[in-house]
Amino acid sequence: MKSNRLAGHTLRNEGRVYDLRGQRACCGPAFCSCGAQSDDVMHTVSARQRWHREHKAAVKAASASR
Ligand SMILES: [Zn+2]
């Protein structure tokens, strides 16, 4: 089975967003552990997970073309 994990790239809090008081927030940008951040504020966990999947695919494509 092919793993979709990419070393150094994990989605912070699995795509959940917390405000400064540690409360679950419904919307916010997605963050990757590598420091990448989505350009857009997203309103659902699944949107942030989708962003992260595409982010990892872009990283893989960039490293494969070297
Ligand atoms: Zn990343």
Side-chain angles (χ1 to χ4, degrees):
M1 200 165 75
K2 201 175 161 196
S3 168
N4 196 32
R5 285 179 177 277
L6 195 58
H9 295 275
T10 55
L11 184 60
R12 200 185 290 175
N13 300 320
E14 279 116 45
R16 289 186 291 275
V17 175
Y18 296 90
D19 69 16
L20 294 174
R21 291 175 302 165
Q23 301 289 309
R24 272 284 288 282
C26 64
C27 54
F31 291 97
C32 180
S33 60
C34 75
Q37 180 185 338
S38 67
D39 293 331
D40 302 320
V41 168
M42 295 171 180
H43 296 266
T44 62
V45 169
S46 61
R48 285 182 286 271
Q49 290 174 341
R50 188 168 59 239
W51 170 85
H52 190 239
R53 254 196 318 274
E54 287 164 8
H55 163 65
K56 285 190 293 182
V59 168
K60 271 184 191 168
S63 63
S65 65
R66 247 184 266 145

